[in-house]
Amino acid sequence: MKISEQRDATRPRARGTERSLARRAELIAIGRKLFADRSYDALSMDDIARQARVAKGLIYYYFQSKRGYYLAIINDSVADLVTFAASEVELEQLDRVHRTMEGYLRYAEHNQAAFRAIVSGGVGFDAEVHAIRDGVREAIVATVAEGAYGRTDIAPLARMGLFAWVCGVEGATLDWIDRPQLSREQMRELLVKQLGGALRAIEELDPAYPTPAPARRDT
């Protein structure tokens, strides 16, 4: 399921008036701030209602449960990240990768609890959070493939090379937000250079996917 489809699936169907959608969006914006650096278990519904200054019943009305509210918050913030990564297609390849990694690291830095939940799978084994994580991975793979090869329908070997890099980015970013000994700029440059290595490895194993000029060693 795509991120946009997951986001739509959590919207109230029978309450789709303009006013109710605006109210729902306001609650999600509040929740994004509350859960930015706190885990799912750190806040009760009473805590959330008190800090959001709303009746607890209003949150249940729009999201049915605490878990529904939390998933809607994660979907909304991740959708922003994916939209950011996929935009600005007119940028040069290297600039686009830098922009994508900058946005990714900023998101992780400012939404640490949500980022950890997405990468680790959420509350226990949560299939919906896993689906969100998988959607983010595929969106970034598609963004890099489009920039590197001009298309997203790439061969399995090329996809696996990019997918492995994305999984490495996740692990490295988790460690970085726990131990921020590198600046965001240093971390971004490191990840971009590692992508260059992945692209060169893909070309070596499948010459049909040549390394883009910015990532070649001979340029």
mmCIF file of all heavy atoms in Angstrom, residues 106-154:
data_model
loop_
_atom_site.group_PDB
_atom_site.id
_atom_site.type_symbol
_atom_site.label_atom_id
_atom_site.label_comp_id
_atom_site.label_asym_id
_atom_site.label_seq_id
_atom_site.Cartn_x
_atom_site.Cartn_y
_atom_site.Cartn_z
ATOM 1 N N ARG A 106 16.692 15.510 8.599
ATOM 2 C CA ARG A 106 15.952 16.513 9.374
ATOM 3 C C ARG A 106 14.716 15.879 10.015
ATOM 4 O O ARG A 106 14.385 16.152 11.175
ATOM 5 C CB ARG A 106 15.525 17.677 8.481
ATOM 6 C CG ARG A 106 16.616 18.698 8.211
ATOM 7 C CD ARG A 106 16.077 19.854 7.388
ATOM 8 N NE ARG A 106 17.096 20.836 7.106
ATOM 9 C CZ ARG A 106 17.405 21.842 7.911
ATOM 10 N NH1 ARG A 106 16.762 21.983 9.059
ATOM 11 N NH2 ARG A 106 18.350 22.691 7.591
ATOM 12 N N TYR A 107 14.026 15.046 9.238
ATOM 13 C CA TYR A 107 12.843 14.377 9.780
ATOM 14 C C TYR A 107 13.223 13.514 10.976
ATOM 15 O O TYR A 107 12.596 13.573 12.035
ATOM 16 C CB TYR A 107 12.181 13.515 8.703
ATOM 17 C CG TYR A 107 11.049 12.684 9.264
ATOM 18 C CD1 TYR A 107 9.781 13.226 9.434
ATOM 19 C CD2 TYR A 107 11.259 11.367 9.655
ATOM 20 C CE1 TYR A 107 8.754 12.481 9.974
ATOM 21 C CE2 TYR A 107 10.238 10.613 10.199
ATOM 22 C CZ TYR A 107 8.990 11.178 10.354
ATOM 23 O OH TYR A 107 7.976 10.435 10.908
ATOM 24 N N ALA A 108 14.268 12.691 10.826
ATOM 25 C CA ALA A 108 14.701 11.815 11.914
ATOM 26 C C ALA A 108 15.135 12.614 13.133
ATOM 27 O O ALA A 108 14.841 12.249 14.278
ATOM 28 C CB ALA A 108 15.843 10.916 11.434
ATOM 29 N N GLU A 109 15.806 13.723 12.883
ATOM 30 C CA GLU A 109 16.331 14.557 13.965
ATOM 31 C C GLU A 109 15.217 15.209 14.770
ATOM 32 O O GLU A 109 15.293 15.307 15.999
ATOM 33 C CB GLU A 109 17.248 15.624 13.365
ATOM 34 C CG GLU A 109 18.037 16.429 14.364
ATOM 35 C CD GLU A 109 19.000 17.390 13.682
ATOM 36 O OE1 GLU A 109 18.788 17.729 12.488
ATOM 37 O OE2 GLU A 109 19.966 17.805 14.333
ATOM 38 N N HIS A 110 14.167 15.643 14.087
ATOM 39 C CA HIS A 110 13.097 16.390 14.749
ATOM 40 C C HIS A 110 11.875 15.540 15.097
ATOM 41 O O HIS A 110 10.930 16.034 15.735
ATOM 42 C CB HIS A 110 12.670 17.563 13.869
ATOM 43 C CG HIS A 110 13.758 18.574 13.655
ATOM 44 N ND1 HIS A 110 14.288 19.329 14.678
ATOM 45 C CD2 HIS A 110 14.450 18.927 12.539
ATOM 46 C CE1 HIS A 110 15.237 20.116 14.214
ATOM 47 N NE2 HIS A 110 15.360 19.891 12.917
ATOM 48 N N ASN A 111 11.871 14.278 14.683
ATOM 49 C CA ASN A 111 10.775 13.351 14.993
ATOM 50 C C ASN A 111 11.364 12.018 15.441
ATOM 51 O O ASN A 111 11.073 10.967 14.870
ATOM 52 C CB ASN A 111 9.868 13.152 13.776
ATOM 53 C CG ASN A 111 9.253 14.438 13.282
ATOM 54 O OD1 ASN A 111 8.181 14.852 13.728
ATOM 55 N ND2 ASN A 111 9.913 15.089 12.340
ATOM 56 N N GLN A 112 12.200 12.072 16.454
ATOM 57 C CA GLN A 112 12.996 10.906 16.814
ATOM 58 C C GLN A 112 12.153 9.717 17.245
ATOM 59 O O GLN A 112 12.407 8.573 16.833
ATOM 60 C CB GLN A 112 14.012 11.270 17.891
ATOM 61 C CG GLN A 112 15.056 12.267 17.409
ATOM 62 C CD GLN A 112 16.187 12.469 18.400
ATOM 63 O OE1 GLN A 112 16.367 11.676 19.322
ATOM 64 N NE2 GLN A 112 16.951 13.529 18.222
ATOM 65 N N ALA A 113 11.149 9.952 18.066
ATOM 66 C CA ALA A 113 10.321 8.840 18.533
ATOM 67 C C ALA A 113 9.565 8.199 17.370
ATOM 68 O O ALA A 113 9.499 6.969 17.255
ATOM 69 C CB ALA A 113 9.348 9.321 19.601
ATOM 70 N N ALA A 114 9.000 9.036 16.498
ATOM 71 C CA ALA A 114 8.272 8.504 15.347
ATOM 72 C C ALA A 114 9.209 7.763 14.402
ATOM 73 O O ALA A 114 8.873 6.695 13.880
ATOM 74 C CB ALA A 114 7.564 9.637 14.603
ATOM 75 N N PHE A 115 10.408 8.296 14.188
ATOM 76 C CA PHE A 115 11.374 7.643 13.310
ATOM 77 C C PHE A 115 11.755 6.275 13.867
ATOM 78 O O PHE A 115 11.811 5.287 13.138
ATOM 79 C CB PHE A 115 12.616 8.515 13.144
ATOM 80 C CG PHE A 115 13.641 7.926 12.201
ATOM 81 C CD1 PHE A 115 13.486 8.049 10.827
ATOM 82 C CD2 PHE A 115 14.739 7.233 12.692
ATOM 83 C CE1 PHE A 115 14.418 7.494 9.958
ATOM 84 C CE2 PHE A 115 15.672 6.682 11.834
ATOM 85 C CZ PHE A 115 15.514 6.808 10.462
ATOM 86 N N ARG A 116 12.025 6.213 15.172
ATOM 87 C CA ARG A 116 12.369 4.921 15.781
ATOM 88 C C ARG A 116 11.220 3.925 15.632
ATOM 89 O O ARG A 116 11.439 2.736 15.366
ATOM 90 C CB ARG A 116 12.709 5.107 17.257
ATOM 91 C CG ARG A 116 14.031 5.817 17.512
ATOM 92 C CD ARG A 116 14.398 5.778 18.993
ATOM 93 N NE ARG A 116 15.614 6.533 19.250
ATOM 94 C CZ ARG A 116 15.644 7.783 19.659
ATOM 95 N NH1 ARG A 116 14.508 8.444 19.866
ATOM 96 N NH2 ARG A 116 16.793 8.405 19.873
ATOM 97 N N ALA A 117 9.993 4.406 15.815
ATOM 98 C CA ALA A 117 8.833 3.521 15.702
ATOM 99 C C ALA A 117 8.697 2.966 14.292
ATOM 100 O O ALA A 117 8.424 1.776 14.095
ATOM 101 C CB ALA A 117 7.556 4.275 16.093
ATOM 102 N N ILE A 118 8.906 3.824 13.301
ATOM 103 C CA ILE A 118 8.777 3.385 11.908
ATOM 104 C C ILE A 118 9.841 2.356 11.564
ATOM 105 O O ILE A 118 9.553 1.291 11.018
ATOM 106 C CB ILE A 118 8.875 4.598 10.956
ATOM 107 C CG1 ILE A 118 7.681 5.527 11.169
ATOM 108 C CG2 ILE A 118 8.940 4.141 9.502
ATOM 109 C CD1 ILE A 118 7.873 6.897 10.567
ATOM 110 N N VAL A 119 11.092 2.647 11.899
ATOM 111 C CA VAL A 119 12.195 1.763 11.530
ATOM 112 C C VAL A 119 12.147 0.452 12.294
ATOM 113 O O VAL A 119 12.434 -0.619 11.750
ATOM 114 C CB VAL A 119 13.551 2.472 11.746
ATOM 115 C CG1 VAL A 119 14.709 1.514 11.530
ATOM 116 C CG2 VAL A 119 13.672 3.658 10.793
ATOM 117 N N SER A 120 11.735 0.509 13.575
ATOM 118 C CA SER A 120 11.721 -0.703 14.393
ATOM 119 C C SER A 120 10.429 -1.491 14.269
ATOM 120 O O SER A 120 10.333 -2.614 14.755
ATOM 121 C CB SER A 120 11.955 -0.348 15.865
ATOM 122 O OG SER A 120 10.900 0.455 16.363
ATOM 123 N N GLY A 121 9.415 -0.893 13.634
ATOM 124 C CA GLY A 121 8.171 -1.629 13.414
ATOM 125 C C GLY A 121 7.014 -1.228 14.283
ATOM 126 O O GLY A 121 5.964 -1.854 14.248
ATOM 127 N N GLY A 122 7.185 -0.179 15.094
ATOM 128 C CA GLY A 122 6.058 0.350 15.843
ATOM 129 C C GLY A 122 5.842 -0.292 17.188
ATOM 130 O O GLY A 122 6.764 -0.698 17.871
ATOM 131 N N VAL A 123 4.583 -0.417 17.565
ATOM 132 C CA VAL A 123 4.203 -0.919 18.878
ATOM 133 C C VAL A 123 4.131 -2.435 18.799
ATOM 134 O O VAL A 123 3.189 -3.001 18.259
ATOM 135 C CB VAL A 123 2.837 -0.353 19.305
ATOM 136 C CG1 VAL A 123 2.504 -0.792 20.717
ATOM 137 C CG2 VAL A 123 2.819 1.161 19.182
ATOM 138 N N GLY A 124 5.159 -3.111 19.344
ATOM 139 C CA GLY A 124 5.229 -4.557 19.157
ATOM 140 C C GLY A 124 5.470 -4.852 17.692
ATOM 141 O O GLY A 124 6.225 -4.162 17.022
ATOM 142 N N PHE A 125 4.835 -5.900 17.184
ATOM 143 C CA PHE A 125 4.901 -6.162 15.742
ATOM 144 C C PHE A 125 3.642 -5.573 15.133
ATOM 145 O O PHE A 125 2.562 -6.154 15.227
ATOM 146 C CB PHE A 125 4.996 -7.658 15.455
ATOM 147 C CG PHE A 125 5.143 -7.951 13.989
ATOM 148 C CD1 PHE A 125 6.394 -7.969 13.399
ATOM 149 C CD2 PHE A 125 4.028 -8.160 13.191
ATOM 150 C CE1 PHE A 125 6.537 -8.209 12.035
ATOM 151 C CE2 PHE A 125 4.157 -8.405 11.836
ATOM 152 C CZ PHE A 125 5.414 -8.437 11.263
ATOM 153 N N ASP A 126 3.759 -4.413 14.556
ATOM 154 C CA ASP A 126 2.611 -3.690 14.020
ATOM 155 C C ASP A 126 2.679 -3.703 12.504
ATOM 156 O O ASP A 126 3.510 -3.031 11.897
ATOM 157 C CB ASP A 126 2.630 -2.247 14.548
ATOM 158 C CG ASP A 126 1.315 -1.537 14.306
ATOM 159 O OD1 ASP A 126 0.768 -1.672 13.200
ATOM 160 O OD2 ASP A 126 0.833 -0.850 15.217
ATOM 161 N N ALA A 127 1.793 -4.467 11.893
ATOM 162 C CA ALA A 127 1.820 -4.632 10.436
ATOM 163 C C ALA A 127 1.605 -3.304 9.720
ATOM 164 O O ALA A 127 2.193 -3.070 8.661
ATOM 165 C CB ALA A 127 0.750 -5.636 10.007
ATOM 166 N N GLU A 128 0.785 -2.434 10.294
ATOM 167 C CA GLU A 128 0.516 -1.160 9.622
ATOM 168 C C GLU A 128 1.740 -0.250 9.653
ATOM 169 O O GLU A 128 2.025 0.451 8.682
ATOM 170 C CB GLU A 128 -0.687 -0.477 10.270
ATOM 171 C CG GLU A 128 -2.005 -1.185 9.971
ATOM 172 C CD GLU A 128 -3.201 -0.406 10.481
ATOM 173 O OE1 GLU A 128 -3.451 0.693 9.958
ATOM 174 O OE2 GLU A 128 -3.867 -0.892 11.403
ATOM 175 N N VAL A 129 2.460 -0.251 10.765
ATOM 176 C CA VAL A 129 3.676 0.558 10.824
ATOM 177 C C VAL A 129 4.744 -0.033 9.912
ATOM 178 O O VAL A 129 5.496 0.688 9.250
ATOM 179 C CB VAL A 129 4.194 0.689 12.271
ATOM 180 C CG1 VAL A 129 5.491 1.484 12.306
ATOM 181 C CG2 VAL A 129 3.157 1.382 13.148
ATOM 182 N N HIS A 130 4.803 -1.373 9.838
ATOM 183 C CA HIS A 130 5.716 -2.012 8.889
ATOM 184 C C HIS A 130 5.391 -1.578 7.462
ATOM 185 O O HIS A 130 6.297 -1.347 6.653
ATOM 186 C CB HIS A 130 5.623 -3.533 9.004
ATOM 187 C CG HIS A 130 6.502 -4.118 10.061
ATOM 188 N ND1 HIS A 130 7.856 -4.306 9.885
ATOM 189 C CD2 HIS A 130 6.225 -4.535 11.314
ATOM 190 C CE1 HIS A 130 8.372 -4.831 10.985
ATOM 191 N NE2 HIS A 130 7.406 -4.974 11.873
ATOM 192 N N ALA A 131 4.109 -1.492 7.149
ATOM 193 C CA ALA A 131 3.701 -1.077 5.800
ATOM 194 C C ALA A 131 4.127 0.363 5.528
ATOM 195 O O ALA A 131 4.537 0.698 4.414
ATOM 196 C CB ALA A 131 2.189 -1.223 5.636
ATOM 197 N N ILE A 132 4.027 1.225 6.538
ATOM 198 C CA ILE A 132 4.482 2.604 6.383
ATOM 199 C C ILE A 132 5.985 2.627 6.107
ATOM 200 O O ILE A 132 6.468 3.308 5.201
ATOM 201 C CB ILE A 132 4.150 3.432 7.643
ATOM 202 C CG1 ILE A 132 2.638 3.567 7.809
ATOM 203 C CG2 ILE A 132 4.788 4.815 7.560
ATOM 204 C CD1 ILE A 132 2.208 4.150 9.135
ATOM 205 N N ARG A 133 6.740 1.864 6.900
ATOM 206 C CA ARG A 133 8.193 1.795 6.704
ATOM 207 C C ARG A 133 8.535 1.292 5.310
ATOM 208 O O ARG A 133 9.394 1.861 4.626
ATOM 209 C CB ARG A 133 8.814 0.866 7.747
ATOM 210 C CG ARG A 133 10.324 0.732 7.635
ATOM 211 C CD ARG A 133 10.827 -0.477 8.398
ATOM 212 N NE ARG A 133 10.261 -1.702 7.848
ATOM 213 C CZ ARG A 133 10.330 -2.894 8.462
ATOM 214 N NH1 ARG A 133 10.923 -2.991 9.628
ATOM 215 N NH2 ARG A 133 9.802 -3.952 7.894
ATOM 216 N N ASP A 134 7.844 0.248 4.871
ATOM 217 C CA ASP A 134 8.107 -0.300 3.532
ATOM 218 C C ASP A 134 7.791 0.726 2.453
ATOM 219 O O ASP A 134 8.488 0.819 1.439
ATOM 220 C CB ASP A 134 7.289 -1.573 3.312
ATOM 221 C CG ASP A 134 7.750 -2.728 4.206
ATOM 222 O OD1 ASP A 134 8.856 -2.635 4.768
ATOM 223 O OD2 ASP A 134 6.992 -3.709 4.329
ATOM 224 N N GLY A 135 6.732 1.505 2.682
ATOM 225 C CA GLY A 135 6.385 2.540 1.718
ATOM 226 C C GLY A 135 7.447 3.617 1.616
ATOM 227 O O GLY A 135 7.751 4.103 0.519
ATOM 228 N N VAL A 136 8.023 3.995 2.759
ATOM 229 C CA VAL A 136 9.099 4.985 2.755
ATOM 230 C C VAL A 136 10.310 4.437 2.007
ATOM 231 O O VAL A 136 10.923 5.129 1.181
ATOM 232 C CB VAL A 136 9.507 5.362 4.204
ATOM 233 C CG1 VAL A 136 10.740 6.253 4.194
ATOM 234 C CG2 VAL A 136 8.359 6.073 4.902
ATOM 235 N N ARG A 137 10.674 3.186 2.282
ATOM 236 C CA ARG A 137 11.819 2.574 1.605
ATOM 237 C C ARG A 137 11.625 2.580 0.090
ATOM 238 O O ARG A 137 12.519 2.972 -0.669
ATOM 239 C CB ARG A 137 12.005 1.139 2.091
ATOM 240 C CG ARG A 137 12.567 1.015 3.489
ATOM 241 C CD ARG A 137 12.580 -0.432 3.936
ATOM 242 N NE ARG A 137 13.271 -0.604 5.208
ATOM 243 C CZ ARG A 137 13.305 -1.741 5.882
ATOM 244 N NH1 ARG A 137 12.674 -2.810 5.408
ATOM 245 N NH2 ARG A 137 13.957 -1.829 7.031
ATOM 246 N N GLU A 138 10.462 2.126 -0.345
ATOM 247 C CA GLU A 138 10.214 2.039 -1.786
ATOM 248 C C GLU A 138 10.177 3.422 -2.424
ATOM 249 O O GLU A 138 10.623 3.599 -3.565
ATOM 250 C CB GLU A 138 8.910 1.288 -2.056
ATOM 251 C CG GLU A 138 8.944 -0.188 -1.688
ATOM 252 C CD GLU A 138 10.013 -0.966 -2.447
ATOM 253 O OE1 GLU A 138 10.406 -0.545 -3.562
ATOM 254 O OE2 GLU A 138 10.464 -2.008 -1.931
ATOM 255 N N ALA A 139 9.655 4.413 -1.694
ATOM 256 C CA ALA A 139 9.612 5.774 -2.236
ATOM 257 C C ALA A 139 11.017 6.324 -2.436
ATOM 258 O O ALA A 139 11.302 6.980 -3.442
ATOM 259 C CB ALA A 139 8.808 6.677 -1.309
ATOM 260 N N ILE A 140 11.909 6.059 -1.488
ATOM 261 C CA ILE A 140 13.279 6.557 -1.616
ATOM 262 C C ILE A 140 14.025 5.793 -2.713
ATOM 263 O O ILE A 140 14.766 6.390 -3.505
ATOM 264 C CB ILE A 140 14.017 6.468 -0.270
ATOM 265 C CG1 ILE A 140 13.362 7.429 0.728
ATOM 266 C CG2 ILE A 140 15.495 6.823 -0.440
ATOM 267 C CD1 ILE A 140 13.940 7.375 2.114
ATOM 268 N N VAL A 141 13.820 4.484 -2.785
ATOM 269 C CA VAL A 141 14.418 3.708 -3.879
ATOM 270 C C VAL A 141 13.964 4.262 -5.222
ATOM 271 O O VAL A 141 14.773 4.457 -6.143
ATOM 272 C CB VAL A 141 14.056 2.218 -3.763
ATOM 273 C CG1 VAL A 141 14.404 1.471 -5.059
ATOM 274 C CG2 VAL A 141 14.798 1.567 -2.593
ATOM 275 N N ALA A 142 12.667 4.538 -5.344
ATOM 276 C CA ALA A 142 12.132 5.064 -6.602
ATOM 277 C C ALA A 142 12.710 6.444 -6.913
ATOM 278 O O ALA A 142 13.042 6.745 -8.074
ATOM 279 C CB ALA A 142 10.608 5.136 -6.531
ATOM 280 N N THR A 143 12.859 7.285 -5.899
ATOM 281 C CA THR A 143 13.415 8.620 -6.093
ATOM 282 C C THR A 143 14.848 8.542 -6.598
ATOM 283 O O THR A 143 15.235 9.240 -7.549
ATOM 284 C CB THR A 143 13.372 9.416 -4.774
ATOM 285 O OG1 THR A 143 12.002 9.615 -4.394
ATOM 286 C CG2 THR A 143 14.038 10.768 -4.926
ATOM 287 N N VAL A 144 15.658 7.672 -5.979
ATOM 288 C CA VAL A 144 17.060 7.540 -6.389
ATOM 289 C C VAL A 144 17.150 6.906 -7.770
ATOM 290 O O VAL A 144 17.953 7.336 -8.610
ATOM 291 C CB VAL A 144 17.856 6.716 -5.354
ATOM 292 C CG1 VAL A 144 19.281 6.486 -5.842
ATOM 293 C CG2 VAL A 144 17.869 7.436 -4.008
ATOM 294 N N ALA A 145 16.321 5.899 -8.033
ATOM 295 C CA ALA A 145 16.337 5.247 -9.345
ATOM 296 C C ALA A 145 15.967 6.220 -10.451
ATOM 297 O O ALA A 145 16.594 6.243 -11.520
ATOM 298 C CB ALA A 145 15.373 4.054 -9.348
ATOM 299 N N GLU A 146 14.969 7.052 -10.193
ATOM 300 C CA GLU A 146 14.558 8.049 -11.190
ATOM 301 C C GLU A 146 15.697 9.024 -11.463
ATOM 302 O O GLU A 146 15.971 9.380 -12.623
ATOM 303 C CB GLU A 146 13.324 8.798 -10.687
ATOM 304 C CG GLU A 146 12.809 9.872 -11.633
ATOM 305 C CD GLU A 146 12.219 9.304 -12.907
ATOM 306 O OE1 GLU A 146 11.607 8.218 -12.848
ATOM 307 O OE2 GLU A 146 12.373 9.951 -13.959
ATOM 308 N N GLY A 147 16.389 9.438 -10.394
ATOM 309 C CA GLY A 147 17.489 10.375 -10.578
ATOM 310 C C GLY A 147 18.701 9.750 -11.231
ATOM 311 O O GLY A 147 19.380 10.392 -12.041
ATOM 312 N N ALA A 148 18.978 8.485 -10.897
ATOM 313 C CA ALA A 148 20.180 7.835 -11.410
ATOM 314 C C ALA A 148 19.991 7.260 -12.812
ATOM 315 O O ALA A 148 20.904 7.329 -13.647
ATOM 316 C CB ALA A 148 20.612 6.720 -10.455
ATOM 317 N N TYR A 149 18.815 6.676 -13.050
ATOM 318 C CA TYR A 149 18.602 5.935 -14.305
ATOM 319 C C TYR A 149 17.481 6.494 -15.181
ATOM 320 O O TYR A 149 17.252 5.991 -16.277
ATOM 321 C CB TYR A 149 18.306 4.465 -13.994
ATOM 322 C CG TYR A 149 19.336 3.822 -13.092
ATOM 323 C CD1 TYR A 149 18.969 3.285 -11.859
ATOM 324 C CD2 TYR A 149 20.677 3.754 -13.462
ATOM 325 C CE1 TYR A 149 19.906 2.690 -11.019
ATOM 326 C CE2 TYR A 149 21.623 3.163 -12.630
ATOM 327 C CZ TYR A 149 21.231 2.641 -11.411
ATOM 328 O OH TYR A 149 22.166 2.054 -10.581
ATOM 329 N N GLY A 150 16.778 7.503 -14.663
ATOM 330 C CA GLY A 150 15.705 8.096 -15.451
ATOM 331 C C GLY A 150 14.432 7.291 -15.473
ATOM 332 O O GLY A 150 13.520 7.572 -16.237
ATOM 333 N N ARG A 151 14.337 6.277 -14.614
ATOM 334 C CA ARG A 151 13.114 5.463 -14.546
ATOM 335 C C ARG A 151 13.071 4.753 -13.188
ATOM 336 O O ARG A 151 14.071 4.637 -12.498
ATOM 337 C CB ARG A 151 13.078 4.441 -15.674
ATOM 338 C CG ARG A 151 14.194 3.408 -15.648
ATOM 339 C CD ARG A 151 14.133 2.553 -16.918
ATOM 340 N NE ARG A 151 14.981 1.373 -16.855
ATOM 341 C CZ ARG A 151 16.282 1.372 -17.107
ATOM 342 N NH1 ARG A 151 16.898 2.507 -17.435
ATOM 343 N NH2 ARG A 151 16.976 0.249 -17.045
ATOM 344 N N THR A 152 11.894 4.270 -12.850
ATOM 345 C CA THR A 152 11.727 3.567 -11.577
ATOM 346 C C THR A 152 11.559 2.065 -11.749
ATOM 347 O O THR A 152 11.693 1.310 -10.785
ATOM 348 C CB THR A 152 10.503 4.113 -10.811
ATOM 349 O OG1 THR A 152 9.326 3.948 -11.622
ATOM 350 C CG2 THR A 152 10.680 5.593 -10.498
ATOM 351 N N ASP A 153 11.259 1.620 -12.967
ATOM 352 C CA ASP A 153 11.075 0.177 -13.222
ATOM 353 C C ASP A 153 12.437 -0.449 -13.529
ATOM 354 O O ASP A 153 12.753 -0.747 -14.677
ATOM 355 C CB ASP A 153 10.093 -0.042 -14.372
ATOM 356 C CG ASP A 153 10.518 0.656 -15.659
ATOM 357 O OD1 ASP A 153 11.199 1.697 -15.560
ATOM 358 O OD2 ASP A 153 10.178 0.155 -16.748
ATOM 359 N N ILE A 154 13.230 -0.643 -12.494
ATOM 360 C CA ILE A 154 14.593 -1.142 -12.675
ATOM 361 C C ILE A 154 14.663 -2.642 -12.397
ATOM 362 O O ILE A 154 13.776 -3.215 -11.755
ATOM 363 C CB ILE A 154 15.580 -0.376 -11.770
ATOM 364 C CG1 ILE A 154 15.147 -0.461 -10.311
ATOM 365 C CG2 ILE A 154 15.663 1.078 -12.219
ATOM 366 C CD1 ILE A 154 16.095 0.226 -9.344
#
